Amino acid sequence: MKCPYCGYTESKVVDSRPTDEGERIRRRRECLSCGKRFTTYEVVETTPIMVIKKDLSREAFDRSKLLRGLLRACEKRPVPVSVLEGIVNEIEASISNSLEREVPSEQIGELAMAKLKEVDEISYVRFASVYRQFKDINSFLAELQNILEQKM
């Protein structure tokens, strides 16, 4: 860290504490050359995860958008919001931990459907009907058949 007074590049950390918001770390430093003290702030650098949509456009990953979709699928179902928030957290962690900075929307949808299937099958079918855009009743029935076959 370069001293703002003399320009020397070596300093020692005298005190370190998180800011009120917890988003940054405040560090008091002392220059090893001139002895003067100065404050620096350390911030975690994050690269936004971009979602590649079906039309190949890109937008930043929005966890609230995913949560809204899950809430809509679970409307009037006995699924607590905390479970849905947990699903969103798991999906976000999964895509954040991958080395890819761009994720296809299909991958996010598949992850969401897999998690919903474990929680509530009706909500899963609702989400799948929107996500997979069933064209007719036969494609809808085929999905229901898959669920029934997996249960047996």
Side-chain angles (χ1 to χ4, degrees), residues 45-51 59-61 100-102:
E45 184 178 57
T46 58
T47 305
I49 297 166
M50 298 304 288
V51 177
E59 66 180 45
F61 174 75
E100 301 297 319
R101 293 293 109 205
E102 294 186 332

Side-chain angles (χ1 to χ4, degrees), residues 3 6 8-12 30-36 38:
C3 175
C6 70
Y8 191 67
T9 56
E10 298 293 320
S11 63
K12 68 177 180 179
E30 184 177 306
C31 177
L32 295 178
S33 176
C34 68
K36 291 189 177 180
F38 57 98

Side-chain angles (χ1 to χ4, degrees), residues 11-106:
S11 63
K12 68 177 180 179
V13 175
V14 178
D15 182 40
S16 185
R17 64 180 68 170
T19 59
D20 293 336
E21 308 88 41
E23 300 289 324
R24 301 181 292 170
I25 295 177
R26 177 185 179 269
R27 297 200 192 280
R28 284 295 290 162
R29 295 180 179 271
E30 184 177 306
C31 177
L32 295 178
S33 176
C34 68
K36 291 189 177 180
R37 292 186 174 190
F38 57 98
T39 303
T40 61
Y41 291 92
E42 188 175 300
V43 181
V44 174
E45 184 178 57
T46 58
T47 305
I49 297 166
M50 298 304 288
V51 177
I52 304 169
K53 310 282 282 181
K54 288 179 183 175
D55 65 357
L56 300 180
S57 64
R58 287 165 168 72
E59 66 180 45
F61 174 75
D62 183 0
R63 62 177 285 118
S64 63
K65 187 174 178 180
L66 178 57
L67 182 59
R68 279 193 310 271
L70 293 174
L71 284 168
R72 203 170 308 120
C74 295
E75 205 168 283
K76 297 183 182 178
R77 296 294 304 156
V79 180
V81 173
S82 60
V83 170
L84 299 178
E85 288 172 342
I87 289 172
V88 172
N89 290 339
E90 288 176 33
I91 292 171
E92 185 175 27
S94 173
I95 60 177
S96 292
N97 291 337
S98 73
L99 298 177
E100 301 297 319
R101 293 293 109 205
E102 294 186 332
V103 179
S105 61
E106 292 85 18

